[in-house]
Each structure stands twice: as C-alpha cells, then as structure tokens.
Amino acid sequence: MQSLTIHFTKGTLPLYQQLYKSFTDEISSGRLKPGERLPSKRRLGEHLQISVNTVDGAYQMLAAEGYIESRPRSGFVVSPMPLSVTPVRAVPTKQKKKKLQKRQDYR
C-alpha cells in the first residue's frame, strides 16, 4: 500500500465508522486494488494514533461486507469485487429497547 490519508472529523460518526468509510471509498474508487495488503491493525492504530480495537471494528465491518478478506498469518487483503455487484454499506440503526415482561409469581 503506497499511502493512505485518513482524516477524522470530531463529533460526527464514531472513529471506526469513519475509518470504514475511508477504506470503502479507497476500494470503490480503485485506489486500493484487489489483492493489495492492508496495514496490520497494530501498525495502522499506531500510525493514526487510535486504538487497535477501533481498527479491528472497521476491518470486521469491511470483511463482513466483502470489501476485504482475512488471510491466515498474512493479514487482510482487498477482495476482488465483481463489476455487477455493488456492496451494501452497513448503516447502524438505533435499536428499540425491549420492554421486560413482568413475571408473575404463582406460588
């Protein structure tokens, strides 16, 4: 990977979602090619001065949607993207709180 410029905007989306969006933009535009290795989670976290967990969250979202794939003992690489399929981006939604049902004691 030649160089990756990522800018975080304070107070908008969580960092892992901003990182995810940066990678999807790079992959969709063709700046990151299929088969190209991504930096390790630890190295990217140190470079961006963010938590490894933040990087892991973004990588897991990318992998779940097929943008990247994990290769054992090699890290993450950009997946080949079929031309006819446009990946669907995960958009977090607010979950409704479930109301707890009152338990009745029949003793």
Side-chain angles (χ1 to χ4, degrees), residues 56-99:
D56 182 58
Y59 277 16
Q60 293 306 319
M61 283 178 64
L62 291 164
E65 294 182 14
Y67 285 101
I68 64 174
E69 54 191 47
S70 175
R71 294 198 178 153
R73 303 186 56 82
S74 295
F76 288 90
V77 295
V78 177
S79 298
M81 299 295 282
L83 297 176
S84 62
V85 178
T86 304
V88 177
R89 293 188 178 167
V91 178
T93 59
K94 292 184 178 181
Q95 295 180 350
K96 294 181 181 178
K97 291 184 181 180
K98 292 182 179 178
K99 292 184 179 179

Side-chain angles (χ1 to χ4, degrees), residues 7-79:
H7 300 284
F8 294 114
T9 307
K10 195 171 190 170
T12 56
L13 293 173
L15 291 179
Y16 76 95
Q17 289 179 346
Q18 292 181 50
L19 184 59
Y20 160 84
K21 183 170 178 356
S22 294
F23 274 111
T24 57
D25 292 345
E26 294 286 321
I27 293 168
S28 298
S29 70
R31 286 187 292 269
L32 285 176
K33 308 281 186 231
E36 191 169 348
R37 286 186 63 187
L38 299 181
S40 72
K41 293 183 273 189
R42 182 173 291 147
R43 194 174 94 208
L44 185 60
E46 287 174 358
H47 176 72
L48 297 174
Q49 298 180 349
I50 59 176
S51 167
V52 173
N53 290 336
T54 301
V55 177
D56 182 58
Y59 277 16
Q60 293 306 319
M61 283 178 64
L62 291 164
E65 294 182 14
Y67 285 101
I68 64 174
E69 54 191 47
S70 175
R71 294 198 178 153
R73 303 186 56 82
S74 295
F76 288 90
V77 295
V78 177
S79 298

